[in-house]
Amino acid sequence: MSEYYQYLSSMSMVGVGGQLAHNHPDVTGQCDETHPICENPSQPKGSSGNNNSKESSAGPSQQPSPESSKGEDEEEAELDTKLETIMDEDEEEPESATSQTPTPGLPTRRSSTTSSLGPQRAGGDNRHGSETPSFEGLNRSSPALTMGTANPQTPIGLNFPSSSSARPDWTFLTHEMQFYLNYFYDNVTHYHYCATSDLDDFFRTILTTEATRNEALLYAVVAFSAYHHAMKDPNGRINEFLQFYSRSVRLLLECLKKKENYNIGTLLTILQLATIEEYLGDWINLMGHKKAAFEVLTQLYDPHSAMQSPVGRMAVTWYARFDVITSVMGCLAPSMSREWFTAQVEHYQDRATAEPQNVGCKFELWSARLRLIMMEMGLLYAKRAKRDISEDEYAAEHQRLAVVLEEWKNSWDPAMTDPSFLLTDLPTNNSDINPFTPEPLFQPPLFVATALVCEYHSLALMHASQSSIKLTDEAKAGLRERANAICRIVEAVEVWQGSPLGSLILLQACMVMASFYVRRDARHHMWLRRRYASLESMGYISPMTLRTRMAELFNDQSCVRWWLPNDEGFTPLLQSIRALADERNLMAASAQSETLQQIRHVFSRMQIGPDDGDTDMKDATA
């Protein structure tokens, strides 16, 4: 944990008011650490512009740690006091801030009627980022568990779990905190965290509730929300995101200084910060978060105790995703033992058996099984990289896992692919540059099936790239078809107006895998470049390693700077975020050079043959 402490210290130095502020002029200076109220054009409605309060001079060292050894009730009461709203002298308190008396502990939840529709991409997800989320407590049920816009009839005998949880109460927080937590609740889904399903509605309700109990987590969640809000705003700026992020890091540092036993808030804070690193394309620094998260996770849980609560289950799932991806991509042994993965499979198997009509349990079960397969693949690749296995043993185990993956797909419960939820009449993009027609999609609550199919094809491509046997022409054709299937799904999700919010982010890793296997010509490459540009416009920044590899693949070095010709769509906000991300990556690259080389090695293996395109990429600018 000492290495992680040093890393956080360096990150807190690259924060608001330091070198970062010099390089990114939209950062207006050090934010009020206790009550972050920032004067800027995108300031949320109802927020106070007064940043001259007495508290503004208080630095992190003057703030009691949210992880202190005080009693829980005392700690939570103190947090309520620290985060109360500062009002201007001539400002009337909004009704939402006085409608309920703040009480220590878990905030009282409002009662509300659950809508039948989850958060979906109304109007093609083109809502303006400057629109203020409603403070009226409009409750929406989980996007993974609710009906889509077409509202097909539920087949007789099948139950789809519904979310009845109300919006948590956070009216005792500052206007800024309320604004961004409401924005998070209404616009950020588990797909933004690349979680295929969220049976317990963890991210909207449990995570935000836990954030009101832990100040470091609160600032991390609010930072993530502020980041997404800025990306939606044509005039968005990253100063508020940076201020909230910096405050979260400093509070986490205070917790680590005390060297006390950590709690679930500590773990969730580290995981949330790791997710922010992922969005900034900083997988090298993410590795530091991952190591620290595992240390805290194993202090709090064992594989079986984690399965006893929704927060424990999602904490394991959240961490496991980082673990298996870095393992598979870096040819590194997973940190989590097999028991952690099998415990999840056993838990959801028991739930699926006890609730045979609950389709949500079935999706969680097949997702857990896929993570187990990925763990075994990562372990195998790591053994080969370290030469702990003979080539014959490797080939036999590689073939076994290929069979296991196919059996996983062929054993799906029919309820997971009920044809009454299949959407086939999708609009077609008639652009001459578009080589893909949309793939039929499963609507919510079966949208998870679409995501899992995409992951299945992606994992099959990854596994094939690590084969020790030379691929036949027939095998290469099969890989190309898998890549095309991924691209058709991505195209469908992009053109369907009812796609759940964040679903393209969920599919981004699959598209990266497909990039290496689609036909190498101008049309296919420009389609991919536009998708990469679209993902970055949503805030998911491609790391320099990937951009460099794609530039080689597309035979166009301009992709290292930006995906599209003439900087199309490369907004000042994106340029600022890119500069921030590249700066942070550069700081960490030398310290993690071995991991970086491993990832580059994996990318270099993803090649199925010579260029088969006959068109210069420069001709494809449509």
Side-chain angles (χ1 to χ4, degrees), residues 24 26-27 230 236-243 573 576-577 580:
H24 306 281
D26 65 338
V27 179
R237 300 163 70 188
I238 60 172
N239 56 339
E240 286 190 317
F241 154 68
L242 289 172
Q243 290 159 353
L573 174 62
S576 182
I577 294 174
L580 165 66

Side-chain angles (χ1 to χ4, degrees), residues 424-541:
T424 57
D425 55 341
L426 290 165
T428 301
N429 186 339
N430 293 318
S431 168
D432 291 338
I433 200 63
N434 182 23
F436 299 108
T437 56
E439 187 90 345
L441 294 180
F442 286 98
Q443 304 168 76
L446 299 192
F447 182 82
V448 184
T450 295
L452 287 177
V453 167
C454 211
E455 286 195 35
Y456 156 72
H457 287 305
S458 175
L459 193 54
L461 291 177
M462 166 58 77
H463 195 54
S465 74
Q466 299 302 308
S467 175
S468 58
I469 302 173
K470 185 174 180 178
L471 296 174
T472 64
D473 290 341
E474 182 180 1
K476 291 179 181 180
L479 295 179
R480 173 158 292 160
E481 179 49 37
R482 287 189 186 278
N484 290 343
I486 291 171
C487 294
R488 289 195 297 267
I489 291 173
V490 170
E491 176 72 13
V493 168
E494 192 161 38
V495 301
W496 183 40
Q497 300 266 317
S499 292
L501 292 171
S503 49
L504 276 177
I505 299 290
L506 174 68
L507 304 179
Q508 53 78 28
C510 302
M511 193 187 77
V512 170
M513 295 303 306
S515 300
F516 295 97
Y517 296 95
V518 297
R519 183 174 294 278
R520 297 179 186 173
D521 59 22
R523 292 179 65 213
H524 289 77
H525 284 176
M526 185 52 67
W527 183 90
L528 287 166
R529 291 170 66 170
R530 289 197 174 278
R531 303 294 83 71
Y532 282 117
S534 179
L535 283 166
E536 293 213 28
S537 72
M538 298 174 191
Y540 198 91
I541 306 302

Side-chain angles (χ1 to χ4, degrees), residues 26 51 113 115 151 154 200 260 283 309 419 425 428 451 464 504 517 579 585 607:
D26 65 338
N51 62 355
T113 303
S115 168
N151 197 25
T154 302
D200 298 305
E260 297 174 353
W283 281 84
S309 67
D425 55 341
T428 301
L504 276 177
Y517 296 95
N585 271 270
Q607 206 158 289

Side-chain angles (χ1 to χ4, degrees), residues 319-466:
Y319 178 84
R321 174 180 170 269
F322 289 138
D323 198 26
V324 296
I325 287 180
T326 55
S327 172
V328 169
M329 293 299 297
C331 296
L332 304 168
S335 299
M336 300 177 85
S337 67
R338 180 184 175 87
E339 188 180 6
W340 287 93
F341 295 89
T342 57
Q344 281 198 309
V345 171
E346 290 166 2
H347 172 81
Y348 288 114
Q349 180 65 71
D350 291 343
R351 289 186 66 174
T353 301
E355 306 173 57
Q357 303 306 316
N358 189 330
V359 179
C361 289
K362 299 179 191 297
F363 280 126
E364 292 284 6
L365 173 59
W366 263 264
S367 296
R369 287 175 174 171
L370 189 61
R371 284 191 295 274
L372 175 59
I373 296 172
M374 290 183 70
M375 183 279 295
E376 292 183 333
M377 287 181 174
L379 189 60
L380 176 63
Y381 305 158
K383 287 181 179 178
R384 187 191 198 191
K386 292 183 177 180
R387 304 189 179 188
D388 290 341
I389 189 173
S390 70
E391 282 301 311
D392 288 344
E393 291 172 326
Y394 178 86
E397 181 65 6
H398 186 279
Q399 177 59 27
R400 184 190 73 82
L401 289 175
V403 172
V404 168
L405 181 61
E406 290 304 308
E407 290 176 345
W408 172 87
K409 179 62 177 66
N410 295 332
S411 64
W412 280 24
D413 190 299
M416 296 164 61
T417 55
D418 190 310
S420 65
F421 287 87
L422 199 60
L423 186 68
T424 57
D425 55 341
L426 290 165
T428 301
N429 186 339
N430 293 318
S431 168
D432 291 338
I433 200 63
N434 182 23
F436 299 108
T437 56
E439 187 90 345
L441 294 180
F442 286 98
Q443 304 168 76
L446 299 192
F447 182 82
V448 184
T450 295
L452 287 177
V453 167
C454 211
E455 286 195 35
Y456 156 72
H457 287 305
S458 175
L459 193 54
L461 291 177
M462 166 58 77
H463 195 54
S465 74
Q466 299 302 308

